[in-house]
Amino acid sequence: MSVLLALVAAVTYGVSDFVGGLASRRDTALRVLVHSYPVGVLLTAALLPLVPGDLSAGAVGWSAAAGLAGALGVVLLYLGLATGPMGVVAPLTAVASAVVPAAVGIGLGERPPPLAYVGVALALLAVALVSRGPGGEAGRRPVTARAVWIALLAGVGFGCYFVLLARAPESSGGWPLLVSRISSAVAVVALALATGRVGRLSAGVPRLAVAAGALDAAANLAYLLAVRQGLLSLVAVLVALYPAATILLARLVLGERTGRAQRLGLAVAAGSVALIAWSG
């Protein structure tokens, strides 16, 4: 069940990133997040009865820290998606977001079955292959060193978010999602106010911002349920396959090309999922 939930989270994260990236190309990333995060807070609060639990000091601490890490990750990711090709920025972010929790999980004593290690290796290879642009390019936008660093730092932020959220006590139910979302929202709004990025969104962007916020909240719930049923080192790697959805939408909607390496990467990703599921 944890594998299925992790894949649901991956697909939902991928669609959310695509929608958020589109919005950030039409307006500033911070202004988009200022409008999308409150939507995420409201939806998360509405979903809270589905995962009942007791809020404790430990849950607040881990969740608030997770929210700050997630806010850093999403700000950098939206910035990267707005300036670089989605087909490169999303996968590079995924590599870092998978390596951090996988290393932490194993460091904390998790011992996946031997076959699962092969699946993890294939998954990391998959996101590396997918991150290669077709023919040395990636769609219509050039790959720059700035975009690469932004993507990797965004991945570190997301990786820390996954780790910190997983550390919240299971008895806290869905409260960590709400606390982390509020923490993220406060951080984003404060940053937007400090940089003067608060204001009305461009025409057509509000709907994209609302959709991105709702999808991200749903993905967070799927991840939390997955990591409570499975190993952090495996769940996080499966969630890191989310660029497949982003790339597919970028190709269908924006006309960004996919090369042979990217198509091979998607096939390898499918194989990695099968191995991890079989090992479980």
Side-chain angles (χ1 to χ4, degrees):
M1 190 61 170
S2 64
V3 171
L4 177 60
L5 288 168
L7 292 178
V8 170
V11 172
T12 312
Y13 276 131
V15 178
S16 174
D17 288 347
F18 173 78
V19 174
L22 278 183
S24 298
R25 288 186 176 185
R26 301 178 185 180
D27 211 307
T28 63
L30 270 178
R31 195 147 41 213
V32 170
L33 290 171
V34 165
H35 288 77
S36 68
Y37 264 61
V39 174
V41 171
L42 292 175
L43 181 58
T44 301
L47 295 174
L48 202 57
L50 298 178
V51 193
D54 299 316
L55 185 61
S56 63
V60 171
W62 288 112
S63 306
L68 294 177
L72 173 64
V74 77
V75 168
L76 290 173
L77 175 62
Y78 278 26
L79 178 60
L81 292 173
T83 58
M86 288 189 179
V88 170
V89 172
L92 287 178
T93 300
V95 172
S97 71
V99 169
V100 171
V104 170
I106 293 173
L108 291 175
E110 291 185 354
R111 293 297 180 265
L115 192 60
Y117 283 102
V118 179
V120 169
L122 286 178
L124 295 177
L125 173 62
V127 291
L129 287 171
V130 169
S131 69
R132 294 186 58 185
E137 300 180 29
R140 300 170 182 172
R141 288 175 178 244
V143 181
T144 64
R146 179 172 180 265
V148 170
W149 279 109
I150 289 175
L152 292 175
L153 290 175
V156 171
F158 286 133
C160 291
Y161 169 81
F162 291 143
V163 170
L164 294 168
L165 193 64
R167 298 293 289 171
E170 187 172 345
S171 60
S172 59
W175 281 105
L177 295 176
L178 183 58
V179 173
S180 65
R181 180 57 55 173
I182 292 174
S183 174
S184 295
V186 170
V188 167
V189 170
L191 182 59
L193 288 172
T195 56
R197 297 294 186 179
V198 178
R200 180 175 297 181
L201 291 172
S202 305
V205 177
R207 286 177 294 180
L208 294 174
V210 169
L215 288 165
D216 188 59
N220 289 335
L221 175 59
Y223 166 74
L224 183 65
L225 294 175
V227 80
R228 285 179 175 175
Q229 296 184 33
L231 299 178
L232 170 65
S233 53
L234 298 184
V235 169
V237 170
L238 291 176
V239 171
L241 296 173
Y242 71 84
T246 307
I247 289 169
L248 179 60
L249 287 173
R251 176 176 175 80
L252 295 176
V253 178
L254 302 179
E256 290 192 1
R257 295 179 297 145
T258 55
R260 283 179 294 181
Q262 290 179 308
R263 291 192 291 271
L264 176 60
L266 294 176
V268 172
S272 71
V273 171
L275 282 176
I276 291 175
W278 181 266
S279 68

